[in-house]
Amino acid sequence: MNKHWHFKVFITEDGHCDFERWRNSLAPQARAKIGIFINRLEATEKWSPKHVKQLKGHSKILELRIKAPNVQCRPLGC
């Protein structure tokens, strides 16, 4: 699969990744859905506003819109 984008996470000073900590706190189905969603975004050249939208009032912050079972996840990125 050709990747157009790369997702990176940041490790805090205490050696943790807040994104992974949050994702691991979710139900297994939601974790799987987020992983699939991110893999699809990496392979998509142009993202749909349905799935990724600029955060209102913040030109460099993007909101991922992930519909997982029983929860809507909206992690932020830049």
Side-chain angles (χ1 to χ4, degrees):
M1 175 188 322
N2 187 19
K3 290 188 176 186
H4 294 280
W5 305 95
H6 295 280
F7 284 81
K8 297 182 180 187
V9 295
F10 295 95
I11 305 300
T12 61
E13 288 182 8
D14 63 356
H16 293 98
C17 171
D18 289 334
F19 178 80
E20 289 300 326
R21 187 182 296 171
W22 165 76
R23 194 175 81 131
N24 289 336
S25 73
L26 301 173
Q29 285 182 321
R31 285 195 308 266
K33 180 87 177 197
I34 292 167
I36 291 167
F37 183 89
I38 289 174
N39 286 339
R40 286 184 181 163
L41 286 181
E42 287 181 322
T44 304
E45 192 169 345
K46 186 174 180 183
W47 296 340
S48 163
K50 177 182 175 183
H51 298 113
V52 179
K53 190 170 182 180
Q54 182 180 331
L55 192 63
K56 196 172 192 171
H58 301 279
S59 65
K60 296 184 180 185
I61 299 177
L62 301 175
E63 177 184 62
L64 303 182
R65 296 176 166 209
I66 307 166
K67 290 183 182 178
N70 302 319
V71 66
Q72 189 169 54
C73 303
R74 293 193 174 191
L76 303 177
C78 56

